[in-house]
Amino acid sequence: MLAVEGLTRRYGDLVAVDDLSLKVVRGRLLGLLGPNGAGKTTTIMMIAGLLRPDSGRLLWDGAPIKPADLRHLVGVCPQEIQLWARLTCAEQMVFLARLNGLSASRAKQRTAELLEAVGLAQRRTTQARRLSGGMQRRLNLAMALVNDPALVVLDEPEAGRAPQSRVL
């Protein structure tokens, strides 16, 4: 599905990712392990099309792909919870769905499906700032899935999760 060949990213003199090559196979899980500062989040940002590599290339189903085109194929659940505090759960979801090109009716349908799946259907009209940390994490996960991406990337998926949330 996704191949990364010779990916490199520098920040000044610091080489954050150095000549990385890997393949993400459809239907499989891939974990990036390493100490803090090893370049995992930088790699995720490049795979998601949110950060341009300095060198190397990205291939989708064997064909070169521009980083910007990956944004519609990859859903990202970031390490840090990223929500708009005063928007409700449903408003956040619909907003992102519309940004990703879903029609208004499909955005509402997908929002309802995902809020149910992550156990937040009863909180659909609750502002994000009024959710517990675990609920915010689940909302962030649902947001990563809103456009039904072909690839989902989770950055530190276990951070701040209670055991029952991990199972869900």
Side-chain angles (χ1 to χ4, degrees), residues 19-99:
D19 195 31
L20 175 69
S21 295
L22 59 85
K23 288 184 181 178
V24 179
V25 179
R26 194 175 310 279
R28 290 296 189 81
L29 298 174
L30 172 70
L32 299 177
L33 302 175
N36 293 343
K40 300 178 300 291
T41 297
T42 299
T43 298
I44 287 169
M45 298 282 285
M46 289 188 288
I47 287 172
L50 301 172
L51 183 64
R52 264 192 197 281
D54 292 324
S55 62
R57 64 185 195 148
L58 300 160
L59 303 167
W60 189 267
D61 287 335
I65 188 166
K66 296 175 186 172
D69 293 337
L70 284 167
R71 292 183 200 148
H72 299 291
L73 297 169
V74 179
V76 179
C77 186
Q79 179 176 348
E80 299 295 327
I81 295 172
Q82 296 180 0
L83 301 170
W84 294 278
R86 295 189 185 276
L87 292 183
T88 68
C89 294
E91 289 169 339
Q92 312 233 13
M93 298 284 296
V94 169
F95 178 67
L96 280 182
R98 298 290 284 148
L99 281 178

